[in-house]
Amino acid sequence: ILLLNRKSNVELEALQLMPSCCCSRLPSLPGMLECCLSDYEKEARRINAEIEKQIKKDKKDARRELKLLLLGTGESGKSTFIKQMRIIHGDGFSNSDKERMIGVIHANILDSMQSLCAAAEHLGVTYASSINSEINSQLVLQAETNPLMGSEFVLTPDLVAAIKELWADPGIQECYARRREFQLNDSAKYYLCDIQRICESKDYLPTEQDVLRSRVATTGIIEYTFLIQNVSFRMVDVGGQRSERRKWIHCFENVTSIMFLVALSEYDQVLFESSENVNRMEESKALFLTIVTSQWFENSSIILFLNKKDLLAEKILSSHLVDYFPDFTGPARDASAAENFILDMFTALNPYDRKTIYSHFTCATDTENIRFVFAAVKDTILQINLQEYNLV
């Protein structure tokens, strides 16, 4: 602004000093004054022109960028969805990326077994082996993952042997069957069943599935941008825990679509962040209602992902939906009936006839499923924004 003001003053002073006959011979003030400017002022004018050009370019690019905001409660699968976008529409995970995940995976294994051992004490479950109850469980519970080690954390051979013996113990298997009663990573069974491949192989390199199932709580805001058909998609992932939601407000501007994830398998679980035994699906419903009715998203399309359908299909065989949601009148042990009931519960929260909720059943760890679903989502988003953004 100071440069522009100075430039204007220079132009006026030059005009006042110039004979009136000169004005009639020169075509325009800008052209006439170009020769009167110093090198410094010419450079200022050039920089100003570059800035104006960049602003116009940024505005044009912004019209071709779609901002997708991933929302949902903790552990609904948002970060896994971002990983899938990186695999499907990005460069995937290099060997270096995978090597950096080894420490996270080892930490996930230890965390899962610590949760199971702590649950055994809390639930009063008896170990089949005295070695497991007196030695192995204590070794695991006293182990710590050093935050300073980060990706370099590795389970010691003693810990690996203890975890293997504990996982084979019927007492720990009973705890796993009762996992709805305490907090346990969804990836626990996957990693613990494969602990030999992961922890005892000298040249172990995580597979894409290993990476997808790794769990690190999202704190703050993570963005991932990818290009499809010359259209830029900017996907924003935010922490789903209650403590993280206050940060969401910074992401609410210029949102094209809300992608809201619900974990289908959480219908019989309680929220570990609350001491009031709040049902996790009720918490998810309350959050979804807040999003649907928010003035921030009045013009944003909403896409509902009912995620973890694989875990629901496994859990519904022994945990009946009607025990937690009495309005359910469908048959027991029927995953499809449970899926549709949960879908209806969420869509019923939409109070606006004019707003359509687009829904999909997903398994975020299944790359082909997410590839298929997001192709449909992409077409939906592009069609919704066709007239406004002139994208296709």
Side-chain angles (χ1 to χ4, degrees), residues 60-80:
K60 184 178 179 181
D61 290 344
R63 289 189 171 186
R64 300 189 67 82
E65 180 180 77
L66 302 182
K67 183 177 179 180
L68 312 179
L69 188 57
L70 280 174
L71 297 180
T73 54
E75 298 185 71
S76 56
K78 302 182 296 297
S79 298
T80 306

Side-chain angles (χ1 to χ4, degrees), residues 115-186:
S115 297
L116 289 163
C117 290
E121 290 184 6
H122 177 71
L123 299 173
V125 173
T126 303
Y127 292 93
S129 163
S130 59
I131 294 177
N132 282 335
S133 62
E134 297 170 10
I135 301 175
N136 289 334
S137 62
Q138 297 310 307
L139 179 64
V140 166
L141 288 171
Q142 292 169 15
E144 294 183 5
T145 55
N146 187 345
L148 297 177
M149 293 183 69
S151 61
E152 296 179 6
F153 173 77
V154 175
L155 290 168
T156 63
D158 287 348
L159 273 173
V160 172
I163 291 171
K164 285 174 69 177
E165 290 184 31
L166 284 164
W167 181 239
D169 192 292
I172 289 295
Q173 289 300 315
E174 181 184 340
C175 289
Y176 181 76
R178 297 173 62 179
R179 60 194 177 278
R180 61 159 294 274
E181 300 176 47
F182 58 96
Q183 186 72 18
L184 182 67
N185 287 340
D186 288 332

Side-chain angles (χ1 to χ4, degrees), residues 28 71-72 106 119 153 263 275 321 329:
S28 64
L71 297 180
H106 278 236
F153 173 77
S275 59
L321 184 60
T329 57

Side-chain angles (χ1 to χ4, degrees), residues 84-99:
Q84 290 285 22
M85 292 301 100
R86 183 172 172 178
I87 291 171
I88 296 168
H89 296 294
D91 297 326
F93 294 93
S94 67
N95 286 347
S96 297
D97 295 328
K98 292 176 181 178
E99 286 174 359

Side-chain angles (χ1 to χ4, degrees), residues 75 77 79-81 83-84 87 93 101 104-109 111-112 176 184-194 197-198 204 206-217 308 310-311 314 363-367:
E75 298 185 71
S79 298
T80 306
F81 201 93
K83 292 176 190 174
Q84 290 285 22
I87 291 171
F93 294 93
M101 294 303 297
V104 173
I105 293 168
H106 278 236
N108 284 174
I109 291 172
D111 180 65
S112 294
Y176 181 76
L184 182 67
N185 287 340
D186 288 332
S187 59
K189 183 178 180 180
Y190 174 84
Y191 287 140
L192 289 168
C193 285
D194 254 0
R197 172 180 66 85
I198 294 170
Y204 169 67
T207 63
E208 281 188 349
Q209 194 61 209
D210 293 344
V211 172
L212 286 170
R213 290 179 182 269
S214 63
R215 166 71 181 159
V216 179
K308 302 190 179 182
D310 55 326
L311 299 182
E314 178 185 332
C363 172
T365 56
D366 183 339
T367 302

